[in-house]
Amino acid sequence: MASLHGDDYQGELRANFSSNVWHEADNTDMYNHLCNLFAKTRRYPETEAESLKMTLAEIYRIESSHISIGNGSIDIIYRIAQSYRGKKSIIVSPTFSEYSRACEINEHTIKLCSREDIMVEIDKFQPDMVWLCNPNNPDGTCFDRKELQAILYTYPLVTFIIDQSFLDFTMQETLTANSVLEFTNLILIYSLTKRYSIPGLRIGYVIAPKTIIYKLDCFKIPWSVNTLAIEAGKYVISQKDSSFDLKTWLTESIRFQKEINRIDIFEALSSHTPFFLVKLRKGRAADLKAFLLKEGILIRDASGFYNNKVQMIRLNTLSINQNNLLIERMNAWKQSLSR
Amino acid sequence: MASLHGDDYQGELRANFSSNVWHEADNTDMYNHLCNLFAKTRRYPETEAESLKMTLAEIYRIESSHISIGNGSIDIIYRIAQSYRGKKSIIVSPTFSEYSRACEINEHTIKLCSREDIMVEIDKFQPDMVWLCNPNNPDGTCFDRKELQAILYTYPLVTFIIDQSFLDFTMQETLTANSVLEFTNLILIYSLTKRYSIPGLRIGYVIAPKTIIYKLDCFKIPWSVNTLAIEAGKYVISQKDSSFDLKTWLTESIRFQKEINRIDIFEALSSHTPFFLVKLRKGRAADLKAFLLKEGILIRDASGFYNNKVQMIRLNTLSINQNNLLIERMNAWKQSLSR
């Protein structure tokens, strides 16, 4: 069975293409900062991660009552599904599998629909809410701000949950935080762990109209964000991280995709982010994954996003050397198929 | 309004009597260990904290399918309430307020009952489940193993959730982990943060019959325990911590309580743990708390446990010097009342 998620191998790796995080983040200063704060763990964390919430409120110039902090954005996703228990949900698919699971365990009636058919399906299914990952995982496609505003405006009675966890990974204009002042039907999910390369620490947040945050906080578990995660969050958003260069990353991604497309059994699908899907015209994604893992390279078998009807992998763009290594090994795998 | 929990002041303190953790734990080695592991936070944590689960399984000599790990024991409490949504719950009170909140948001029918009346109330109310904190927060009282076994045996169709977070703080014999092999109606909650003085890191777990763990895991959020918490958990349970000396701690607690009782407006209530309640015969707990906080001393106003019908504080026993400091300041507060 294909794994549900990337980064599903805990051992040492030469190159990890399987998870969508900024791979060149230099967090040494943050690590040193946290090392000096361990004594804080002798006490309980702030119940609601208040100091991180205040820092975010200042940065976004929005009242803190528009924000709730979570133990990763996944915590926010489950909390939303729980707060709207039993509702009718459209999930724009293929996408991150946890929206479905969160809705299922909270007894939503679920309808999956493609990105192209959102408005048609809303008219037909009359949902209470629509879940949309933007930019989308796994394919990196991204609606731009104006398209989303038009949809939000057209359906004021439908609540749109827009997961912007990969916001920093696209040049497309996405919705700004203060959109929640304009649209009472909008919930925005954010993650700090992708852009800052700290998925192990678990920090996400939600920005929404105050009444919605109030509702979500009725289901919040106290002390859910640990002390070091709170401190890491405040640190990364307050520091200028000069390592992050999206333009260069995307340029390398285009080169990487072109090189992959030169291997005739692979087809890289267009993406607005440095992570993207690759379709296999021959062979099985699970076999390619196993072949590469033997050499310390981890990729995401993404066939599960398509009910295994197509063979698909998802790749993040890493350094030039790592990308070239992968291309070389993908070529070698192709050769092994024809033997 | 009284706070819902202790440790409700984030500033620097001279002495923190408000939270029930082992105050003399020396975690320097663990901090150093974690400092060397920060690079691990570039990757996702194990989805289900598997390595910590395996370590616990070895220590308890029980299959890992009897265990689920949580983001603090609070995460376990909420997950149980959610898994048994809409059931009839008896909560043995006064106790930690989060059992009630967890049951409320998951639409349980709740009946509070005193420790003395458990069996009478079970017969009368016919609950699906009974929540019991043992040793109990806030008063430190503790049923012993035989009493609990008798209750478990008498009501095989009632599920008992026994929160043993303060297990290490009593000489009473409590239920062992392998009791879940004998009793299919038993769920045991554990915390690593009290005994090892790491409440800021959030690690708890539940041991239960396999079918119950399966049910609880249907509601588990992936990656809910962060990488550093997993590593800290494995570290503390694998190391011998020579600082922990319960007998000496309890002896000092008895002395501390006797000294408090010499101040005629206070009455320390008997406890099986180093934390205990103190009843005020005069003055308000909130005023005493405010008076002490000005001097950098934090106590828990516990009146809320009794719907504010009695004035009560909860104290943890700290070092001799800190305890003496508190006695001196409680005396000073008493003097200030008669002025």
Side-chain angles (χ1 to χ4, degrees):
Chain A
M1 198 191 85
S3 300
L4 278 173
H5 302 289
D7 213 358
D8 55 344
Y9 172 79
Q10 292 288 326
E12 288 292 314
L13 292 172
R14 287 165 77 190
N16 182 4
F17 293 90
S18 78
S19 85
N20 305 333
V21 299
W22 165 232
H23 61 102
E24 282 191 3
D26 178 0
N27 285 328
T28 317
D29 289 348
M30 185 199 70
Y31 300 160
N32 290 334
H33 175 70
L34 294 183
C35 279
N36 292 322
L37 296 176
F38 270 110
K40 271 182 173 271
T41 64
R42 295 183 82 95
R43 303 196 46 193
Y44 279 80
E46 296 165 342
T47 325
E48 313 301 338
E50 288 84 351
S51 62
L52 176 56
K53 199 190 288 188
M54 294 306 297
T55 308
L56 288 166
E58 277 167 35
I59 285 174
Y60 287 116
R61 298 178 188 212
I62 200 167
E63 286 175 67
S64 64
S65 46
H66 282 287
I67 305 175
S68 181
I69 313 287
N71 183 34
S73 58
I74 191 82
D75 175 28
I76 304 287
I77 291 167
Y78 276 82
R79 189 133 54 93
I80 294 169
Q82 191 179 10
S83 306
Y84 289 84
R85 187 183 165 77
K87 296 289 184 190
K88 284 170 79 175
S89 276
I90 280 184
I91 299 173
V92 185
S93 302
T95 193
F96 188 43
S97 59
E98 296 295 332
Y99 308 127
S100 278
R101 181 170 177 259
C103 287
E104 273 163 24
I105 67 177
N106 290 291
E107 301 189 359
H108 290 223
T109 306
I110 301 171
K111 168 84 182 161
L112 305 183
C113 92
S114 71
R115 287 175 93 79
E116 295 71 33
D117 297 337
I118 292 184
M119 295 178 77
V120 176
E121 291 292 343
I122 293 176
D123 289 336
K124 218 192 284 178
F125 185 65
Q126 300 281 321
D128 301 298
M129 44 215 314
V130 172
W131 300 73
L132 174 69
C133 187
N134 199 62
N136 191 41
N137 173 14
D139 57 14
T141 55
C142 187
F143 283 110
D144 92 348
R145 186 183 299 171
K146 292 218 174 82
E147 292 175 279
L148 291 176
Q149 285 169 334
I151 298 175
L152 286 163
Y153 186 80
T154 310
Y155 300 102
L157 299 180
V158 177
T159 301
F160 289 82
I161 300 123
I162 303 192
D163 183 347
Q164 302 202 128
S165 288
F166 297 105
L167 168 74
D168 296 306
F169 291 1
T170 186
M171 292 291 193
Q172 293 279 93
E173 284 206 43
T174 50
L175 290 169
T176 57
N178 57 20
S179 307
V180 305
L181 303 177
E182 188 181 350
F183 295 104
T184 56
N185 58 336
L186 175 61
I187 300 178
L188 292 173
I189 300 176
Y190 294 82
S191 169
L192 285 177
T193 57
K194 280 83 176 173
R195 157 73 178 80
Y196 295 102
S197 200
I198 43 174
L201 288 179
R202 323 301 306 128
I203 326 165
Y205 53 99
V206 53
I207 298 185
K210 290 181 189 183
T211 50
I212 292 179
I213 293 294
Y214 179 82
K215 181 171 175 157
L216 298 182
D217 280 352
C218 289
F219 291 87
K220 189 179 172 302
I221 298 179
W223 313 293
S224 58
V225 185
N226 104 7
T227 302
L228 297 177
I230 293 173
E231 295 300 331
K234 288 190 287 186
Y235 189 88
V236 294
I237 58 180
S238 306
Q239 302 294 316
K240 292 261 172 252
D241 166 12
S242 56
S243 82
F244 190 68
D245 177 356
L246 180 61
K247 220 173 144 187
T248 306
W249 195 15
L250 285 168
T251 306
E252 169 58 13
S253 189
I254 298 296
R255 183 197 72 87
F256 186 27
Q257 291 170 47
K258 276 190 187 150
E259 290 296 318
I260 288 170
N261 282 334
R262 290 175 57 181
I263 313 174
D264 59 4
I265 65 166
F266 297 116
E267 180 189 355
L269 307 186
S270 88
S271 166
H272 289 104
T273 63
F275 60 86
F276 55 90
L277 288 172
V278 178
K279 205 167 160 177
L280 279 68
R281 296 207 183 90
K282 200 174 161 189
R284 292 182 58 243
D287 295 340
L288 173 58
K289 181 180 169 185
F291 174 88
L292 292 167
L293 190 55
K294 275 188 210 145
E295 317 199 9
I297 298 169
L298 187 62
I299 61 168
R300 171 81 165 98
D301 176 356
S303 313
F305 286 103
Y306 301 89
N307 297 317
N308 299 302
K309 285 175 188 157
V310 280
Q311 292 298 307
M312 199 78 97
I313 60 171
R314 190 192 65 203
L315 299 177
N316 189 19
T317 301
L318 303 182
S319 71
I320 297 177
N321 283 345
Q322 288 173 312
N323 300 336
N324 288 345
L325 170 70
L326 181 61
I327 291 160
E328 200 250 300
R329 300 321 297 152
M330 284 167 80
N331 251 315
W333 184 69
K334 182 198 149 186
Q335 302 305 326
S336 77
L337 285 185
S338 37
R339 246 172 246 147
Chain B
M1 198 190 85
S3 301
L4 278 173
H5 302 290
D7 213 359
D8 55 344
Y9 173 78
Q10 292 288 326
E12 288 292 314
L13 292 171
R14 287 164 77 189
N16 182 3
F17 293 90
S18 78
S19 86
N20 305 334
V21 298
W22 166 233
H23 61 101
E24 283 192 2
D26 178 0
N27 285 328
T28 317
D29 289 347
M30 185 199 69
Y31 300 160
N32 290 335
H33 174 70
L34 294 183
C35 279
N36 292 322
L37 296 177
F38 270 110
K40 271 181 173 271
T41 63
R42 295 183 83 95
R43 303 195 48 191
Y44 279 79
E46 296 165 342
T47 326
E48 313 301 338
E50 288 85 351
S51 62
L52 176 56
K53 199 190 288 188
M54 293 307 296
T55 308
L56 288 165
E58 277 168 35
I59 286 174
Y60 287 116
R61 298 179 188 212
I62 200 167
E63 285 175 67
S64 63
S65 46
H66 282 287
I67 306 175
S68 181
I69 313 287
N71 183 35
S73 59
I74 190 82
D75 174 27
I76 304 287
I77 291 167
Y78 276 82
R79 189 133 54 93
I80 294 169
Q82 190 179 11
S83 306
Y84 289 84
R85 187 183 164 77
K87 296 288 184 191
K88 284 170 80 175
S89 275
I90 280 184
I91 299 172
V92 185
S93 302
T95 193
F96 188 43
S97 59
E98 296 294 331
Y99 308 127
S100 278
R101 181 170 177 260
C103 287
E104 274 162 23
I105 66 177
N106 290 292
E107 301 190 359
H108 290 223
T109 306
I110 301 171
K111 168 85 183 162
L112 305 183
C113 92
S114 71
R115 286 175 92 78
E116 295 71 33
D117 297 337
I118 292 183
M119 294 178 78
V120 176
E121 291 292 342
I122 293 176
D123 290 335
K124 218 192 285 178
F125 185 65
Q126 300 280 322
D128 301 298
M129 43 215 315
V130 172
W131 300 73
L132 174 70
C133 188
N134 199 61
N136 191 41
N137 173 13
D139 57 14
T141 54
C142 187
F143 283 109
D144 91 349
R145 187 183 300 171
K146 293 219 174 81
E147 292 174 279
L148 291 177
Q149 284 169 333
I151 298 175
L152 286 163
Y153 186 80
T154 310
Y155 300 102
L157 299 179
V158 177
T159 301
F160 288 82
I161 299 123
I162 303 191
D163 183 347
Q164 301 202 128
S165 288
F166 298 105
L167 168 73
D168 295 307
F169 291 2
T170 186
M171 292 291 193
Q172 294 278 94
E173 285 206 43
T174 50
L175 290 169
T176 56
N178 57 20
S179 308
V180 304
L181 303 177
E182 188 181 349
F183 296 103
T184 56
N185 58 335
L186 174 61
I187 300 178
L188 292 172
I189 300 176
Y190 294 82
S191 168
L192 285 177
T193 57
K194 281 84 177 171
R195 157 73 178 81
Y196 296 102
S197 200
I198 43 173
L201 288 180
R202 323 301 306 127
I203 326 165
Y205 53 99
V206 53
I207 298 185
K210 290 181 189 184
T211 50
I212 292 180
I213 294 295
Y214 179 82
K215 181 171 174 158
L216 298 182
D217 280 351
C218 289
F219 291 86
K220 188 179 173 302
I221 299 179
W223 313 293
S224 58
V225 185
N226 104 6
T227 302
L228 297 177
I230 293 173
E231 294 300 331
K234 287 190 287 187
Y235 189 88
V236 295
I237 58 179
S238 306
Q239 301 295 315
K240 291 261 173 253
D241 167 12
S242 55
S243 81
F244 190 69
D245 177 356
L246 180 61
K247 220 173 144 187
T248 306
W249 195 15
L250 285 168
T251 306
E252 169 58 13
S253 188
I254 298 296
R255 183 198 72 88
F256 186 26
Q257 292 170 47
K258 276 190 187 150
E259 290 296 319
I260 288 170
N261 282 334
R262 290 176 57 182
I263 313 173
D264 59 4
I265 65 165
F266 297 116
E267 180 189 354
L269 306 187
S270 89
S271 166
H272 290 105
T273 63
F275 61 85
F276 55 89
L277 288 172
V278 179
K279 204 167 161 178
L280 279 67
R281 296 207 184 89
K282 200 174 161 188
R284 292 182 59 242
D287 295 340
L288 173 58
K289 181 180 169 184
F291 174 88
L292 293 168
L293 190 55
K294 275 187 210 146
E295 317 199 8
I297 298 169
L298 187 62
I299 61 167
R300 171 82 165 96
D301 176 356
S303 312
F305 285 103
Y306 300 89
N307 298 316
N308 299 301
K309 284 175 188 157
V310 280
Q311 292 298 307
M312 200 78 96
I313 60 172
R314 189 192 66 202
L315 299 177
N316 189 19
T317 301
L318 302 183
S319 71
I320 297 177
N321 284 345
Q322 288 173 312
N323 299 336
N324 288 345
L325 170 70
L326 181 61
I327 291 159
E328 200 250 299
R329 300 320 297 152
M330 284 168 79
N331 251 315
W333 183 69
K334 182 198 149 186
Q335 302 304 326
S336 77
L337 285 185
S338 37
R339 245 172 246 145

